[in-house]
Amino acid sequence: MSLHYRSVWISDTHLGTKGCKAEQLRDFLDHVDCDTLYLVGDIIDLWKFRNGFYWPTLHSDIVQRIFNKAEQGTRVIYIPGNHDEPFRKHAGMYFNGVDIRLNAVHETRDGRRFLVLHGDEFDNMVCHNKSLAYIGGEAYEILLVINRWYNHIRSLLGYKHWSLSAFLKNKVKNIARFMDNYQHVLGLEAQKKQVDGVICGHIHHADITQMEFGKTYCNCGDWVESCTALVEDDDGRLALIRWREEGQALLDRKKAPAPAYARAA
């Protein structure tokens, strides 16, 4: 049993790191089909390869599943981010059925146009101080390790998963201000490109919100903490799926038999 969507966006999977929630991502790919799959950057974390090679079989399984989807007819568009930046030099090429681009414009079923990009281009820290960005990446990795141990203890006590970094993003004023500024700059870019909104990743914070100029901001989140994806249904409606919390319920709803009156109709 699988769920079908017109379009799916995932970003910031960070394959090649211990922080990647690879089991949940593989489960998502096994149970979700779509006409178009967008990989919105930081899919493979090439930054981590500088400190040693980490690539378990599970990560190869995920890459192979993406290639299999492309072979079976799914249109797969890969937009590299800052952690997989070397792939940007291959923009315009196809690899195993995957279309590599710097960005894309997606038109929903209801006619809205969205600029799709990773989003690091609008993060001043990444653009103008890469050494600081690397340090920030290492600090984030340490935070994830601490959070994994903390959640292991919580699970033993019967509590649900809790994200420390998500808590900090919501509570620390400077981080919250950065995210607001990030959305504002992307709203200006949407206005400049004359599109209806922007779909991005990069900041690991899944969100759908209305911006100034009537533009829609969509961030598909990440697969190191939130395990989220952005989806478009057959009517053009956009929604976020939090796979760890909602995946099984969505599948159960799909498997549930239709009411008798509906079957009779």
Side-chain angles (χ1 to χ4, degrees):
M1 179 64 64
S2 63
L3 304 168
H4 181 269
Y5 297 98
R6 184 171 184 263
S7 311
V8 170
W9 293 261
I10 60 174
S11 74
D12 298 274
T13 60
H14 290 274
L15 294 169
T17 71
K18 294 180 181 179
C20 172
K21 295 292 189 293
E23 291 185 1
Q24 287 91 336
L25 179 55
R26 181 175 64 179
D27 187 62
F28 175 82
L29 293 172
D30 284 345
H31 290 96
V32 173
D33 292 322
C34 57
D35 300 331
T36 304
L37 172 63
Y38 287 91
L39 307 173
V40 194
D42 288 2
I43 301 302
I44 298 176
D45 195 328
L46 299 178
W47 285 12
K48 300 303 293 183
F49 290 177
R50 299 177 296 114
N51 300 324
F53 188 78
Y54 175 80
W55 192 266
T57 302
L58 182 54
H59 291 202
S60 294
D61 291 345
I62 290 169
V63 173
Q64 189 58 54
R65 277 163 169 74
I66 293 171
F67 287 152
N68 289 345
K69 287 181 180 293
E71 184 179 354
Q72 293 163 9
T74 299
R75 184 186 181 202
V76 180
I77 299 174
Y78 180 20
I79 299 170
N82 52 307
H83 282 253
D84 45 14
E85 186 177 14
F87 295 135
R88 284 175 170 167
K89 64 184 179 183
H90 301 295
M93 298 177 58
Y94 282 84
F95 180 74
N96 276 16
V98 176
D99 182 6
I100 304 174
R101 300 189 188 183
L102 295 179
N103 54 62
V105 174
H106 175 82
E107 184 169 337
T108 60
R109 176 60 61 83
D110 57 9
R112 290 176 295 163
R113 297 170 69 247
F114 284 82
L115 176 64
V116 185
L117 72 173
H118 180 63
D120 62 293
E121 307 95 315
F122 299 93
D123 180 345
N124 284 334
M125 185 178 73
V126 173
C127 291
H128 302 301
N129 195 335
K130 289 199 173 185
S131 61
L132 185 58
Y134 288 134
I135 294 170
E138 295 297 326
Y140 183 64
E141 186 71 19
I142 293 171
L143 187 63
L144 290 177
V145 171
I146 295 171
N147 203 40
R148 281 200 297 272
W149 279 104
Y150 177 71
N151 276 294
H152 176 66
I153 296 172
R154 283 177 62 87
S155 66
L156 293 176
L157 297 175
Y159 294 106
K160 293 182 179 180
H161 178 88
W162 183 77
S163 171
L164 175 60
S165 72
F167 173 80
L168 292 175
K169 286 174 184 176
N170 288 324
K171 297 299 183 181
V172 178
K173 290 183 179 179
N174 286 342
I175 298 177
R177 188 179 302 116
F178 163 76
M179 290 193 295
D180 288 341
N181 291 340
Y182 183 71
Q183 291 183 11
H184 170 71
V185 172
L186 286 171
L188 294 175
E189 183 67 10
Q191 179 74 358
K192 176 182 175 182
K193 298 292 186 182
Q194 297 184 339
V195 293
D196 297 293
V198 173
I199 296 172
C200 63
H202 185 54
I203 64 171
H204 294 209
H205 186 76
D207 194 12
I208 299 177
T209 189
Q210 294 302 308
M211 302 183 292
E212 53 193 326
F213 311 116
K215 308 302 181 183
T216 302
Y217 167 87
C218 303
N219 192 302
C220 38
D222 67 90
W223 288 84
V224 295
E225 290 186 278
S226 60
C227 299
T228 52
L230 179 72
V231 298
E232 177 197 0
D233 69 14
D234 289 333
D235 294 321
R237 291 172 296 198
L238 298 174
L240 286 169
I241 292 180
R242 302 183 185 278
W243 189 251
R244 180 168 46 207
E245 292 84 7
E246 303 170 357
Q248 191 56 55
L250 290 169
L251 292 170
D252 290 344
R253 197 178 308 154
K254 178 77 172 180
K255 288 187 290 187
Y261 65 85
R263 291 198 299 269

